[in-house]
Amino acid sequence: MNPHRTLASLGRFGGFCARHSLALLVTMVLPSVLWTITYFALLLWAAFTNGGIGGPLAYPAGLVFVIGVAAVSGLMLLMPSTAMAEWIGKRFALPIFAQIPISLSLLAVLCLVVVAGATAAGVPTSFRGFSLSLGTLFTAHLVPLGLYWWVVQSGPLSLSLLQRLLHHLHSWINKGRTRSS
């Protein structure tokens, strides 16, 4: 086996893991920050209105819940839909922004699988309830999917932009040299 190809493959895999780990971390930290802001805003509201401030476990339990839900949805829905869209895009040499509708379609399929799995596991529901669950799950993940996708693609997009800028700068410098000659 060619050692250069092995190193290149390991580099691509490492980059893939690093980008998706960062995206997963961001999609877990941002809801945690939003929960913290919401909790302290509600605490201030309770203080100003002489309302009850809740129990001592309200904040940490909410934080654990938010982090858990974000981690599970990130691993089950966001990462697979984004990674598969990236693979499809590279496999068919599609532009990078073509991954957006592909990842949305894959997210819809994964949401369908999750809701169908819950229904098959015995969660009683009607067709209306099934449709509402599917629509709610999909809609609730649109913004997190967008955030996840942009974090994953920010590195490659930044490198592409830098390469284009350097190419244009190089062309501009060479153009100036040919005029002065």
Side-chain angles (χ1 to χ4, degrees):
M1 180 161 216
N2 186 348
H4 295 292
R5 287 183 66 177
T6 303
L7 284 176
S9 294
L10 284 173
R12 283 191 302 274
F13 181 72
F16 172 87
C17 290
R19 292 183 296 117
H20 283 274
S21 295
L22 177 63
L24 185 61
L25 182 66
V26 167
T27 56
M28 290 169 59
V29 167
L30 188 62
S32 301
V33 169
L34 292 175
W35 166 246
T36 301
I37 291 168
T38 301
Y39 177 81
F40 284 107
L42 290 172
L43 194 62
L44 284 173
W45 178 264
F48 286 127
T49 61
N50 292 326
I53 60 171
L57 295 178
Y59 175 71
L63 192 59
V64 167
F65 177 77
V66 166
I67 291 171
V69 168
V72 169
S73 70
L75 291 170
M76 287 182 62
L77 299 172
L78 305 178
M79 185 174 70
S81 60
T82 305
M84 282 298 295
E86 188 174 2
W87 181 80
I88 290 168
K90 287 184 179 177
R91 177 96 165 103
F92 294 103
L94 299 172
I96 197 164
F97 290 110
Q99 292 177 21
I100 295 172
I102 295 169
S103 61
L104 283 170
S105 301
L106 292 168
L107 176 66
V109 169
L110 290 172
C111 288
L112 178 67
V113 168
V114 167
V115 173
T119 303
V123 177
T125 186
S126 62
F127 180 74
R128 183 173 187 252
F130 181 89
S131 301
L132 187 61
S133 297
L134 177 60
T136 302
L137 185 63
F138 178 73
T139 304
H141 284 87
L142 289 177
V143 171
L145 179 67
L147 175 66
Y148 191 99
W149 188 88
W150 279 103
V151 171
V152 166
Q153 296 304 331
S154 63
L157 284 171
S158 298
L159 288 175
S160 174
L161 179 62
L162 183 61
Q163 286 174 340
R164 288 179 188 191
L165 287 173
L166 289 174
H167 175 74
H168 287 298
L169 180 63
H170 185 263
S171 297
W172 182 71
I173 290 171
N174 285 340
K175 191 176 181 182
R177 286 184 184 164
T178 56
R179 282 189 191 165
S180 63
S181 299

